[in-house]
Amino acid sequence: MIERLQNIEKKYNELTEELMKPEVLSDIKKTLSLTKEQASLKDAYEAYQKYKKITNDIEEAKEMIKDPEMSEFAREELEENEKKLEELTSQIEILLLPKDPNDDKNVIVEIRGAAGGDEGNIFAGDLFDMYKKLAEKEGWTVEIMEEEKSEAGGYSLISFMVKGNNVYSKLKYESGAHRVQRVPVTETQGRVHTSTATVLVMPEAEEVDFDLDMNEVRIDITRSSGCGGQGVNTTDSAVRLTHIPTGLVVYSQTERSQIKNKEKAIKILKTRLYDLKMQEREKELGEERKSKIGTGDRSEKIRTYNYPQNRVTDHRIGFTLNTLDRIMDGDIDKVIDALITEDQNRKLRGE
């Protein structure tokens, strides 16, 4: 552990020196790259500085114990610092766990109404609102990429990008089937129905991740469609992209400009192809995929939202909260933190 921390400290200091060089400061792209690399080491670097101070304090306390006049005070100091060191060592073990290279990326989230017809679509809209409120709390921005509104409310599909710090690290556990139990607005006899909406969270594909060959993409320009109203375009501005080798189809019509719709569609297509590439790589690893939270079967039922009992249960870790109202208002941090902690514990156990 100490050797790894020493290497991190050395690298962090090298990056600090590099970032002070005029030729680096004049290169914005390189500065951003080095700053990002240094930021990824910052927590472990700072933890090691604390570790060195505490171990030094422990050695000083051990020396002071030899002095009869200082021994009682020194024993208290020693006990307190040994406790601090134990807590800090546990934190460092987590900091040194292998990092997901996608953790600091923006994401594209797709939510689809699934089982339950209109109620599934309405719930898809509720989930979108939940993530939008979470984004506001975290200081992230949300941009709608693709939407298919449902006449009864909500969406049969809503696709959106979330931009900010470490977005994927928090939202990657949300992929799967979300089940809702409640009395739908369309229910006339007050019966509780069970419906589902599916969520797919994909890290945004960057240029280095995936090189899209546009010769393999068929581009179709169509007229935008929707549920009616003034917002529906009357010009041919919607863009449909078909990736011929995989058959993946992406449709974008949220902008009035054909160029902007094309840009959005390309971004979605790149991200979906990158996600496909990641899934294939994980399948090659075989059993390892099954032990990971958030990367299992995307049709897996991961969470139930029970409105009559104001309860949310995450089935992957058996975690339940009776604060559904607050969770739907974007206060989902406790669920996400519990998933992150369990994921870290599994890694520490070598699972």
Side-chain angles (χ1 to χ4, degrees):
M1 184 181 88
I2 300 301
E3 189 179 342
R4 286 185 67 191
L5 289 169
Q6 287 171 341
N7 289 335
I8 287 168
E9 181 183 51
K10 184 184 175 186
K11 183 65 179 174
Y12 189 91
N13 290 332
E14 284 173 358
L15 288 167
T16 301
E17 289 175 19
E18 195 75 11
L19 282 162
M20 292 171 72
K21 292 177 180 177
E23 64 268 28
V24 173
L25 289 169
S26 62
D27 186 339
I28 294 171
K29 197 173 180 180
K30 190 164 186 181
T31 300
L32 285 171
S33 174
L34 294 176
T35 303
K36 192 176 178 180
E37 187 180 355
Q38 191 182 51
S40 71
L41 302 173
K42 188 181 177 187
D43 288 345
Y45 171 82
E46 289 180 348
Y48 184 43
Q49 305 317 301
K50 284 183 192 174
Y51 184 91
K52 288 194 291 184
K53 185 183 183 305
I54 293 170
T55 51
N56 187 58
D57 290 346
I58 285 171
E59 290 307 311
E60 287 181 1
K62 284 178 179 176
E63 285 297 315
M64 285 167 61
I65 285 173
K66 297 172 186 176
D67 183 342
E69 292 181 7
M70 300 294 290
S71 63
E72 191 178 339
F73 169 76
R75 284 182 201 282
E76 287 177 9
E77 283 287 299
L78 182 62
E79 191 178 328
E80 188 180 330
N81 280 310
E82 283 178 340
K83 190 179 176 183
K84 282 182 185 176
L85 188 66
E86 190 179 339
E87 290 172 359
L88 184 60
T89 301
S90 297
Q91 291 171 22
I92 288 170
E93 284 176 352
I94 290 169
L95 288 171
L96 293 180
L97 285 171
K99 285 195 167 54
D100 186 330
N102 293 312
D103 272 353
D104 61 349
K105 290 185 179 178
N106 300 325
V107 302
I108 290 180
V109 183
E110 286 183 5
I111 306 176
R112 295 174 185 269
D118 288 342
E119 172 62 2
N121 293 339
I122 292 167
F123 183 53
D126 294 338
L127 288 174
F128 171 59
D129 289 339
M130 178 183 78
Y131 292 127
K132 198 163 60 169
K133 287 169 183 174
L134 171 66
E136 286 170 13
K137 283 177 56 188
E138 294 285 345
W140 300 335
T141 58
V142 172
E143 178 189 355
I144 293 176
M145 306 294 283
E146 186 181 356
E147 60 178 358
E148 293 172 16
K149 291 184 178 178
S150 168
E151 288 186 17
Y155 303 89
S156 56
L157 165 69
I158 176 79
S159 173
F160 55 100
M161 175 170 275
V162 187
K163 295 181 180 179
N165 292 327
N166 300 311
V167 181
Y168 185 71
S169 71
K170 291 198 171 182
L171 290 184
K172 64 182 175 183
Y173 305 102
E174 296 301 298
S175 289
H178 294 239
R179 182 173 71 169
V180 63
Q181 294 173 327
R182 65 184 176 189
V183 179
V185 289
T186 52
E187 168 59 47
T188 56
Q189 296 178 32
R191 291 173 298 186
V192 173
H193 288 222
T194 298
S195 305
T196 58
T198 59
V199 176
L200 176 59
V201 179
M202 300 172 287
E204 180 189 12
E206 296 172 353
E207 293 302 322
V208 292
D209 298 321
F210 196 89
D211 185 23
L212 179 63
D213 183 355
M214 290 305 292
N215 291 320
E216 298 180 337
V217 179
R218 188 175 73 240
I219 303 171
D220 297 306
I221 308 301
T222 64
R223 184 160 292 184
S224 295
S225 60
C227 296
Q230 294 178 346
V232 178
N233 293 340
T234 54
T235 56
D236 292 337
S237 61
V239 176
R240 183 172 62 240
L241 302 182
T242 305
H243 187 246
I244 297 161
T246 61
L248 275 176
V249 177
V250 168
Y251 186 72
S252 180
Q253 63 168 12
T254 55
E255 302 289 342
R256 292 185 177 275
S257 156
Q258 187 187 115
I259 294 169
K260 286 184 178 178
N261 278 327
K262 185 181 175 183
E263 286 173 358
K264 279 191 173 183
I266 289 171
K267 193 177 282 287
I268 295 168
L269 182 58
K270 278 185 176 180
T271 296
R272 291 194 68 172
L273 288 167
Y274 177 52
D275 182 65
L276 200 63
K277 190 170 82 170
M278 286 197 308
Q279 284 185 65
E280 286 169 1
R281 193 161 61 234
E282 284 165 357
K283 278 177 187 171
E284 286 170 14
L285 296 172
E287 291 301 309
E288 185 186 336
R289 182 180 171 87
K290 294 180 182 178
S291 70
K292 292 181 180 177
I293 297 171
T295 57
D297 183 355
R298 267 114 190 246
S299 63
E300 174 195 3
K301 180 189 71 185
I302 63 165
R303 196 175 296 149
T304 295
Y305 303 72
N306 185 298
Y307 276 73
Q309 296 175 25
N310 199 38
R311 186 182 71 228
V312 169
T313 299
D314 195 288
H315 304 290
R316 294 164 293 180
I317 57 173
F319 183 78
T320 297
L321 286 174
N322 291 98
T323 54
L324 172 60
D325 52 339
R326 295 211 293 271
I327 284 167
M328 298 311 291
D329 206 32
D331 190 13
I332 194 174
D333 305 73
K334 285 182 181 175
V335 181
I336 291 171
D337 289 344
L339 287 160
I340 290 171
T341 301
E342 176 59 23
D343 200 18
Q344 289 170 345
N345 288 338
R346 289 185 187 187
K347 286 173 182 170
L348 286 169
R349 293 194 297 266
E351 293 180 12

